[in-house]
Amino acid sequence: ALRSRSGRSIINGNWAIDRPGRYEGGGTMFTYKRPNEISSTAGESFLADGPTNEVLDVYMIHQQPNPGIHYEYIIPGDNVISPQLLAHRRPGEPLNGQLGMPESTNQEDEDLHRETDTLTGQSAGTFPVIQPGRFPSHQPEKQVPAVQPPRQNREHNWKQIGKTECTTTCGKGSQYPIFHCVNRITHEEVSESYCDSSTKPIPEEEACNLFPCPAFWDIGEWSECSKTCGLGMQHRQILCRQMYANRTLTVQQYRCHHLEKPETTSTCQLKICSEWQIRTEWTSCSVPCGVGQRTRDVKCVSNLGDIVDDEECNMKLRPNDIENCDMGPCAKSWFLTGWSDRCSAECGDGVRTRSVVCMTNHVSSLPLEGCGNNRPSETTPCNNGPCTGKVEWFAGGWTQCSTECGSGTQQREVICVRKTEGNFDVLNPYECSYLEKPPSQQSCYLKPCGSKWFHTEWSTCSKSCEGGFRVREVRCLSDDMTASTQCDPQLKPEEKEPCNTQDCVPEIDENCKDKYYNCNVVVQARLCVYTYYKTACCASCTRVANRQSGFLGRR
């Protein structure tokens, strides 16, 4: 990870892993490279041309032994050349191991030498070279020259007959002089035993082929495919590099313009994506009329035809496996009970009752508007003979209707009395408690009020958690319960509303527990994709997986 001293994350910050690419920070642009972890053993890297304008910190997290960090950097530097050598140098002669620049040297070569000195961190004068006949070789300090015997006493001596091949064809290599034993007069090569081995010159390294090597494109490894299935993209890093002094240096890209630049992006496909398949047709609606629900079987199927986990498919494209269904308004009928066996009065006039209710009729062919206004009677008269001193409930007259239009209520007083010849004695209501008390309130209707909004009860919620919806039927009806268009649209009740918005509670597996106290860090670092962490932090990883899938399929 790369971060500035101010705390701003540039690459892989805040426990989030960035994709390989280019990221701006520290006054420059960083190219982040992360090879495929399966097919490559190379590590992550980032590269910037610079210069940086602030201090940047590099962080590394690792579960295995620290693999180490390799780094290169560029610092400003000047070419340091000895003034004494400048006085003796001829055009084209090596200068302490570095080829001096003749007047015809182009700007490109000068730039390369400047880049070489800067990147290696070395000044000129690193490579001493012997050039016989031009200027004397540099002798190391405190080295005593070998004692040479008088020439007239030697019939054979050592002679340089050539040099070894240069170690490189370009970009500054090295070679050594070759000495053989020869006859001093005829210069014929003879066995080395004829010469004094103690006087054989020690070959000194000489620089050779100082001209720069041609630049080339250094091609990095492809990154991971951006998609785990289907068509995705992958990237790789392309750098212009050049060899000099046995080191490969990164140079400006214009030096590689003579070569065709390889592609930095490419399409990729690891496998064909799994897809959603609807395995069954919709079931029948859960209700014969009104609003109900129906279901169907939806599975995630791999390209081999196997049923796999839902996470293998795109959850955003998952077809619904449950939906509401409207079977239309329900036909309704009057449902009646039998008359009560007991008369409301033990003597004199009374009534017998029954229950009358309008309910959905699943088999009737009645019109769909409802039960109608012909409500069957709930009472019928009865008489158990004349009263002689018996107690009974006495009901007074009804009050006025509580509303001027539409449905209202009326009240009346009901008291317990004992009926005698021509008289009534008021008793405590307790005396009549064994008798059925007449109603003291009833509904009333004076005149129509106009059209009103009517609605059914809410349907069952489409989901048990994570937010579903429920519906109801809303109609504008007139006073005679026929469809009308006279209702105020602004007062229309809602026909659909959200429901069960609470979070889903996953099933608890007693064997799925966190073994470490800091499993939240594993979740933040997105390490749950690895089997080890998925097991060691089972509860935390499962909780995150359930949250992402939205518990689809659990109803």
Side-chain angles (χ1 to χ4, degrees), residues 339-351:
W339 292 110
S340 60
D341 295 330
R342 185 176 178 180
C343 188
S344 62
E346 293 187 359
C347 63
D349 294 331
V351 294

Side-chain angles (χ1 to χ4, degrees), residues 8 53 61 72 78 86 149 170 284 301 315 326 333 448 504 520:
R8 185 178 71 87
N53 59 10
I61 182 173
E72 296 180 7
D78 298 323
L86 288 174
C170 60
S284 301
V301 180
M315 299 300 296
D326 190 348
S333 301
C504 293
N520 61 316

Side-chain angles (χ1 to χ4, degrees), residues 478-495:
S478 60
D479 287 288
D480 59 355
M481 296 301 156
T482 59
S484 173
T485 60
Q486 303 302 314
C487 296
D488 187 352
Q490 295 183 351
L491 300 179
K492 183 178 180 180
E494 293 293 334
E495 295 182 284

Side-chain angles (χ1 to χ4, degrees), residues 189 245 330 375 385 435 468 479 509 515 539:
E189 292 187 20
C330 296
R375 181 185 180 93
L435 300 174
D479 287 288
D509 184 356
K515 299 180 180 179

Side-chain angles (χ1 to χ4, degrees), residues 49-254:
D49 291 334
T52 55
N53 59 10
E54 62 175 317
V55 177
L56 302 177
D57 293 327
V58 179
Y59 293 83
M60 183 173 67
I61 182 173
H62 56 90
Q63 285 76 38
Q64 298 174 348
N66 186 346
I69 299 177
H70 173 76
Y71 59 92
E72 296 180 7
Y73 57 92
I74 302 174
I75 58 175
D78 298 323
N79 291 334
V80 182
I81 301 176
S82 171
Q84 291 79 3
L85 292 180
L86 288 174
H88 299 282
R89 186 179 67 89
R90 298 176 185 176
E93 285 185 340
L95 182 61
N96 276 12
Q98 182 166 318
L99 186 62
M101 299 298 170
E103 286 82 357
S104 62
T105 302
N106 57 33
Q107 183 63 35
E108 179 178 337
D109 290 337
E110 292 181 4
D111 291 343
L112 175 61
H113 279 274
R114 186 176 300 109
E115 292 171 6
T116 303
D117 291 337
T118 303
L119 280 169
T120 58
Q122 297 171 335
S123 62
T126 304
F127 306 101
V129 178
I130 297 176
Q131 297 291 339
R134 295 187 178 181
F135 50 85
S137 61
H138 176 72
Q139 293 286 350
E141 295 181 4
K142 299 182 181 180
Q143 180 172 332
V144 180
V147 177
Q148 299 291 338
R151 285 184 176 271
Q152 61 273 21
N153 295 334
R154 288 184 290 133
E155 296 180 5
H156 301 87
N157 60 1
W158 297 101
K159 179 182 178 181
Q160 179 179 342
I161 64 170
K163 297 181 181 179
T164 62
E165 289 188 9
C166 191
T167 56
T168 60
T169 59
C170 60
K172 192 178 182 180
S174 61
Q175 60 183 181
Y176 296 87
I178 301 175
F179 297 98
H180 279 184
C181 182
V182 298
N183 186 286
R184 187 170 60 84
I185 299 174
T186 64
H187 299 288
E188 292 184 27
E189 292 187 20
V190 296
S191 173
E192 291 190 356
S193 61
Y194 286 93
C195 292
D196 186 356
S197 61
S198 64
T199 63
K200 184 177 181 179
I202 298 176
E204 294 190 31
E205 181 183 22
E206 299 177 10
C208 55
N209 294 337
L210 300 178
F211 53 91
C213 293
F216 63 94
W217 291 114
D218 185 10
I219 303 174
E221 296 186 22
W222 286 111
S223 66
E224 296 181 10
C225 193
S226 60
K227 299 288 184 65
T228 57
C229 67
L231 194 63
M233 295 293 295
Q234 58 184 173
H235 307 268
R236 63 181 176 183
Q237 191 175 47
I238 306 295
L239 298 176
C240 184
R241 308 273 279 179
Q242 202 162 8
M243 288 288 297
Y244 193 81
N246 293 326
R247 292 197 62 185
T248 303
L249 311 174
T250 301
V251 295
Q252 298 295 329
Q253 293 199 2
Y254 74 84

Side-chain angles (χ1 to χ4, degrees), residues 41 387 425:
T41 58
C387 297
D425 296 329

Side-chain angles (χ1 to χ4, degrees), residues 350-366:
V351 294
R352 288 194 298 162
T353 61
R354 66 180 176 183
S355 296
V356 179
V357 62
C358 180
M359 295 180 63
T360 299
N361 183 355
H362 294 165
V363 296
S364 173
S365 59
L366 291 176

Side-chain angles (χ1 to χ4, degrees), residues 367-394:
L368 302 181
E369 284 74 9
C371 298
N373 295 325
N374 298 323
R375 181 185 180 93
S377 175
E378 295 180 286
T379 61
T380 185
C382 59
N383 192 309
N384 288 334
C387 297
T388 55
K390 293 184 178 181
V391 296
E392 63 179 332
W393 290 108
F394 176 80

